[in-house]
Amino acid sequence: MASVELGKPSYEAMSQGETRGRLENEKREEARNVMKKNGNRTVSFSLPMLGCGCFRVQRDEEGNLDMDVVNGSGDRRQPTHLLIMVNGLFGSAKDWKYAAEAFLKMYPEDMVVHCSKRNYSTLTLDGVDVMGERLAEEILSVIRRHSSVQKISFVCHSLGGLIARYAIAKLYEQDALREDVQVNGEYDKHGLRDQSKEEEFKGKIAGLEPINFITCATPHLGSRGHKQVPMCCGFYALEKVAVGTSYFFGRTGRQLFLIDKDSGKCPLLFHMAGDREDLKFLSALQSFRRRVTYANARYDNVVGWCTSSIRRHKELPKLKGLSGDSKYPYIVNVEMAKISSPELYVPSEAEANGYKKAVLEEEMIKGLLSMSWERVDVDFHKSKQRNNAHLTIQVNRYKDNSDGACVIQHMIDKFIL
């Protein structure tokens, strides 16, 4: 069985051909009418799918869409792997339409894909911490609906990577330390936590085994200066203007430009580069079997190469001579994970006091690189879609960003199930 959960009703099922498209529209309109008559209660309907039965689509009053692959008799298997997809700034669940379908084509029996819906459009201006809290609650809700899942992975675009990093810290803490969160198999019939399973759930995310944590074009080091926002072309004056305009992007903008003061003396992203007393950000990341960054080497006008690949400028590969192959034409460099330090680095607040950007960045790099990362560098230089690289790396809309399909395929091929 495979299922996709989508956060907006505009997220469509697989469409192949004009006839199928008309059928989908008719079914969708029928569902809307039923929803109106039934007071927005949950309704379900089926859509044809070539090769392996059909999609069963379920929608509730909150806008959730569950899509299962079932056979002719309606039977389905129980998925064991939950994949959470998280959108970026001003994005929505439908941004993952192509990627979600691609993953399910590869793993139709084993995976349920949930495209996060809680943080979309202007809600992405509320701050990484607020959105991380929402995502954590959403994930717990998804797990309650799919009691068979045993593993969890994330694929995140842009700001979504930071949101997911905050959420897993919340879920790691709730799973390992708190006793008021229900996860699969954790409570007895009286609602009491089984203490014999305490050791079993340590190092897990919401009671699930963490497997893949994948980000693409995510500003892990923030967006403050030193060509971290490529559209500023490295000019100090433009970067200073960009910092000033960050207030138009709410708490999220201030956090990305490392000028927020909500978390105390240091910016939130700095705190997220280490384990803190209340939230174990690095321990949560380290619990995953693999961590991967996909980064645009150039043409990304929103997120710089350094911040998305967690590198210092001097560590960036030389683009000259790098090229992709026939299967992944725009993936030009892959660095496999190196053996990480046995101890996690704790960024020093004393070192970062005063908000000196260079010091903040270096401390964040040390913290995040105290564990191993796979790095995948992408270059759309030969693509007609290169000027929209930030969205193309995700295949945000297939019509406009189809050249990023090889990046999604690379994620799928290297994915640990």
Side-chain angles (χ1 to χ4, degrees):
M1 188 280 286
S3 74
V4 183
E5 298 192 337
L6 310 158
K8 301 292 288 181
S10 59
Y11 189 111
E12 301 174 351
M14 284 199 308
S15 174
Q16 295 192 15
E18 184 179 346
T19 301
R20 211 156 163 210
R22 287 199 300 267
L23 178 60
E24 290 177 8
N25 291 333
E26 291 172 1
K27 289 288 187 179
R28 205 168 283 114
E29 185 61 32
E30 178 185 347
R32 292 193 191 101
N33 293 333
V34 174
M35 293 274 296
K36 292 178 181 178
K37 292 179 181 179
N38 291 336
N40 275 346
R41 291 194 296 271
T42 300
V43 298
S44 65
F45 56 95
S46 298
L47 297 173
M49 176 182 174
L50 296 180
C52 53
C54 63
F55 277 129
R56 183 178 64 181
V57 182
Q58 293 182 302
R59 178 187 171 192
D60 64 18
E61 66 274 13
E62 294 182 352
N64 288 307
L65 280 179
D66 294 344
M67 300 172 61
D68 299 340
V69 177
V70 299
N71 59 26
S73 62
D75 295 331
R76 61 190 179 97
R77 296 184 181 180
Q78 298 298 309
T80 58
H81 202 134
L82 172 61
L83 176 59
I84 304 292
M85 292 185 163
V86 190
N87 59 268
L89 190 67
F90 296 120
S92 68
K94 66 182 181 180
D95 296 348
W96 289 110
K97 181 180 187 300
Y98 176 83
E101 292 178 358
F103 268 93
L104 286 177
K105 287 177 184 178
M106 177 62 73
Y107 304 112
E109 305 288 339
D110 307 296
M111 183 177 288
V112 52
V113 178
H114 177 78
C115 301
S116 174
K117 77 178 189 68
R118 289 286 176 89
N119 302 299
Y120 68 94
S121 187
T122 55
L123 290 178
T124 58
L125 303 180
D126 292 343
V128 172
D129 49 346
V130 173
M131 291 185 287
E133 294 267 6
R134 289 182 194 143
L135 178 59
E137 294 173 0
E138 183 179 12
I139 291 171
L140 290 174
S141 176
V142 173
I143 292 173
R144 284 192 288 269
R145 292 199 301 272
H146 298 280
S147 58
S148 63
V149 294
Q150 302 170 11
K151 305 173 183 178
I152 188 168
S153 292
F154 289 79
V155 175
C156 315
H157 177 247
S158 193
L159 177 65
L162 299 177
I163 299 170
R165 280 175 50 196
Y166 195 97
I168 63 173
K170 293 291 296 184
L171 295 173
Y172 182 87
E173 285 294 305
Q174 289 173 337
D175 171 59
L177 299 179
R178 292 178 57 181
E179 299 185 3
D180 58 346
V181 179
Q182 181 177 355
V183 295
N184 296 340
E186 190 180 3
Y187 283 71
D188 62 19
K189 62 181 180 181
H190 302 294
L192 300 176
R193 183 163 181 157
D194 185 353
Q195 297 297 328
S196 65
K197 296 185 178 181
E198 183 73 24
E199 188 66 29
E200 175 187 350
F201 284 102
K202 281 185 177 178
K204 295 190 177 182
I205 303 298
L208 306 181
E209 182 184 357
I211 306 297
N212 307 271
F213 191 89
I214 302 169
T215 66
C216 56
T218 289
H220 288 284
L221 308 177
S223 304
R224 183 176 172 183
H226 208 36
K227 299 184 181 180
Q228 300 291 37
V229 180
M231 69 175 64
C232 295
C233 304
F235 293 112
Y236 176 75
L238 291 179
E239 291 174 348
K240 191 173 181 179
V241 171
V243 173
T245 60
S246 66
Y247 287 89
F248 291 105
F249 296 95
R251 294 183 70 245
T252 298
R254 296 192 294 274
Q255 291 169 353
L256 288 174
F257 281 91
L258 310 179
I259 56 175
D260 58 301
K261 299 180 181 179
D262 296 345
S263 356
K265 295 181 179 179
C266 295
L268 175 65
L269 295 191
F270 176 85
H271 284 286
M272 289 174 57
D275 274 356
R276 304 301 169 182
E277 184 176 348
D278 54 340
L279 291 170
K280 308 299 182 185
F281 293 105
L282 288 192
S283 293
L285 263 179
Q286 192 181 46
S287 68
F288 286 81
R289 289 179 60 181
R290 61 191 292 258
R291 293 154 297 279
V292 192
T293 66
Y294 285 79
N296 282 312
R298 48 184 167 176
Y299 300 107
D300 190 324
N301 295 316
V302 181
V303 178
W305 193 6
C306 286
T307 188
S308 56
S309 63
I310 318 179
R311 289 188 180 107
R312 302 168 182 88
H313 276 268
K314 63 182 180 182
E315 297 172 341
L316 294 174
K318 301 296 183 182
L319 280 175
K320 186 177 181 180
L322 295 179
S323 62
D325 56 30
S326 57
K327 187 174 184 180
Y328 312 116
Y330 301 112
I331 292 179
V332 298
N333 184 58
V334 177
E335 294 181 8
M336 300 308 295
K338 300 176 181 178
I339 299 176
S340 58
S341 170
E343 294 184 2
L344 295 176
Y345 181 81
V346 180
S348 169
E349 292 192 22
E351 288 288 335
N353 192 24
Y355 296 91
K356 292 182 179 180
K357 194 221 55 97
V359 176
L360 286 172
E361 183 176 304
E362 180 62 24
E363 288 293 296
M364 287 190 289
I365 290 175
K366 288 179 180 178
L368 292 171
L369 294 188
S370 61
M371 65 190 71
S372 61
W373 291 80
E374 299 172 33
R375 294 190 180 101
V376 182
D377 298 308
V378 181
D379 185 9
F380 290 109
H381 177 65
K382 297 181 180 180
S383 168
K384 293 181 179 179
Q385 300 168 356
R386 59 180 175 270
N387 292 324
N388 203 14
H390 188 68
L391 298 181
T392 298
I393 197 173
Q394 180 200 18
V395 193
N396 186 278
R397 299 292 183 271
Y398 188 81
K399 181 179 70 172
D400 302 317
N401 312 116
S402 58
D403 284 351
C406 70
V407 178
I408 302 300
Q409 189 59 52
H410 188 272
M411 292 181 190
I412 294 171
D413 291 343
K414 306 303 179 182
F415 193 85
I416 297 178
L417 188 61

